[in-house]
Every structure is written in C-alpha cells, then in structure tokens.
Amino acid sequence: QVQLVESGGGLVQTGGSLRLSCAASGRTFGRYVMGWFRQAPGKERESVAAISWTGGNTYYADSVKGRFTISRDNAKNTVYLQMNSLKPEDTAIYYCAARSSMVVATNPENYNYWGQGTQVTVSE
C-alpha cells in the first residue's frame, strides 16, 4: 500500500502564500496520478488540482486557476501544491490523494489512497 503525509499547512494572511508537500512511502513504484483536495467545514470535499505521472497533464479547479500550481518530483516521491494569493475562502483541510491509474480524475471516489490532511487557514 501507499502512505501519504501532507505538510506545509498553517495560518496565513489574505494574499499570502503557502507551499504544501505530500510525501509518499510504501509501494510507490506505481505510476500514480496525484491530486489535491480540500474540505471546508459544512462543505463537500472538492478537487483542487491533479497531475499525471509525467506531469504533462494537469487539472485545476476554476476557483484556483492562476493562483495554485501543482507539481511532482517522482525521484523524491513527492507532490507539491504552491498556493499564492490566498483568500479566506481557501481555508480548509487539504488532502493529498493518489489514484492507481494514469488517467487524471477529479472525483474523490476515484482515488485509492489518502493522507490525513493539513489545515490551511487564511485570515482576513
């Protein structure tokens, strides 16, 4: 199995930046699609970004386009989410997820492995 651990969350002011990291361990030899999701209190879990094995195919939610950038370093088994121009509505628990497929997906049900999440709080 694959274990995922997120880091980099914290408290930041509106307009600030954070860089989230997701380190994978265990059986990481598969060519997993990686994704970032977030869930705010009282709301559904939503896809933020996703990236293919090679990094050549990416997806971004409309709400974060132009502000967030997803990337991966397969040699380090790590995926990143650079978050710029943060807004209060970005406040949520952010989850890293892995999908045992080469096809990028946005539905949480299509992901097999999940981290425990890291809290991102954007103050006004």
Side-chain angles (χ1 to χ4, degrees), residues 15-29:
S17 298
L18 286 173
R19 189 193 191 200
L20 306 183
S21 298
C22 174
S25 62
R27 298 190 177 188
T28 58
F29 53 85

Side-chain angles (χ1 to χ4, degrees), residues 32 51-57 72 74 102:
Y32 293 101
I51 187 168
S52 63
W53 169 256
T54 63
N57 188 21
R72 66 190 300 167
N74 291 336
M102 296 185 67

Side-chain angles (χ1 to χ4, degrees), residues 6-19:
E6 303 95 337
S7 63
L11 175 64
V12 66
Q13 293 182 324
T14 297
S17 298
L18 286 173
R19 189 193 191 200

Side-chain angles (χ1 to χ4, degrees), residues 28-90:
T28 58
F29 53 85
R31 296 182 176 181
Y32 293 101
V33 168
M34 302 297 296
W36 286 97
F37 294 79
R38 67 186 182 186
Q39 187 166 24
K43 293 189 175 182
E44 304 85 3
R45 186 170 299 188
E46 63 176 348
S47 176
V48 176
I51 187 168
S52 63
W53 169 256
T54 63
N57 188 21
T58 58
Y59 162 84
Y60 295 97
D62 288 340
S63 59
V64 306
K65 284 182 179 178
R67 299 189 298 121
F68 292 7
T69 302
I70 188 171
S71 62
R72 66 190 300 167
D73 186 339
N74 291 336
K76 296 182 178 180
N77 294 318
T78 302
V79 63
Y80 306 94
L81 184 68
Q82 179 66 47
M83 309 164 66
N84 298 325
S85 302
L86 285 163
K87 307 173 182 179
E89 50 262 45
D90 295 319

